Amino acid sequence: KFYNPKLYKAAPKQELSKEDRIMVNNGGTAPPTEAPGGIAGTGISVSFVQIDSQVAPPPPPATAEAYKAKGGESGGVMAMMDLLVQDLQKEMTTAESEEKAGQGNYEQTMTDSAEKRAMDSKSLTDREGAKADMQAELEQSEGDKTSASKELMVLEQYMTALHAECDWLLQYFEVRKQARADEVD
């Protein structure tokens, strides 16, 4: 664990001057506190003080060899520029081929859409024609039904009259038979 709460040392309470209290009461900020110095919990203060400036510094550590220019081993800036140009040409070629493919797809989509619209239009026209034919057949059938129902009504009236006549004949058959027999005698 990196944090040890036992080593925490609270910041000393800061006494504000009269001017600072007025500023804080009016909505300002308090002046910053000084950072604690030293190593926490040890009482050792750290300061960066140069002790003796007359002592010569030690020699620098050994480094790599001295710089020498590379001959033809690397192309340098011009090679990088050529590489950038090649990359740009590749990207442009790729973009052109993608554009051509996209244009072809777009044209194919437009052709398909035009064909579909034509088919839908023809289908709509055919359906409207079929609907008109069915409407005409419906009106014809309704007319036929009306005339047939009138004929049926006339036939039913005829049957009712015939039935009533038959009922009368059956009801008075015996009476008429007797009357004829009486006339013959």
Side-chain angles (χ1 to χ4, degrees):
K1 294 183 178 181
F2 296 107
Y3 176 70
N4 188 351
K6 292 178 184 174
L7 297 180
Y8 174 73
K9 192 177 203 184
K13 193 71 174 170
Q14 182 181 7
E15 281 293 320
L16 297 176
S17 67
K18 187 175 181 180
E19 293 85 16
D20 291 339
R21 273 184 274 148
I22 292 171
M23 186 187 321
V24 169
N25 289 337
N26 287 330
T29 57
T33 58
E34 289 185 26
I39 300 173
T42 61
I44 301 172
S45 65
V46 178
S47 62
F48 299 103
V49 178
Q50 189 171 1
I51 298 174
D52 191 3
S53 64
Q54 294 178 0
V55 177
T63 60
E65 297 179 22
Y67 175 78
K68 61 180 178 179
K70 295 182 178 180
E73 292 177 15
S74 74
V77 174
M78 293 309 290
M80 287 186 354
M81 292 294 287
D82 290 340
L83 185 62
L84 288 174
V85 168
Q86 289 173 357
D87 289 345
L88 184 60
Q89 287 175 345
K90 285 179 186 176
E91 288 177 13
M92 287 176 57
T93 305
T94 304
E96 286 175 5
S97 63
E98 288 175 357
E99 179 67 24
K100 286 180 183 177
Q103 184 66 28
N105 291 341
Y106 173 76
E107 289 173 359
Q108 182 63 38
T109 302
M110 289 297 111
T111 304
D112 293 345
S113 297
E115 290 175 4
K116 185 174 184 322
R117 280 193 304 273
M119 288 175 34
D120 290 345
S121 176
K122 183 179 182 300
S123 173
L124 181 63
T125 305
D126 293 344
R127 287 183 183 189
E128 287 176 350
K131 180 183 174 189
D133 293 342
M134 288 180 176
Q135 191 72 27
E137 287 178 21
L138 177 65
E139 289 175 5
Q140 179 67 32
S141 297
E142 286 176 350
D144 292 346
K145 178 186 172 199
T146 304
S147 64
S149 63
K150 286 180 182 177
E151 289 178 21
L152 179 64
M153 194 182 311
V154 169
L155 287 175
E156 285 178 352
Q157 288 174 352
Y158 176 71
M159 283 176 43
T160 304
L162 188 61
H163 196 279
E165 198 175 313
C166 287
D167 285 345
W168 183 84
L169 285 175
L170 286 175
Q171 183 180 1
Y172 294 108
F173 175 73
E174 289 297 323
V175 174
R176 290 181 68 205
K177 183 178 171 186
Q178 185 65 33
R180 244 186 267 137
D182 288 343
E183 280 181 20
V184 173
D185 286 337

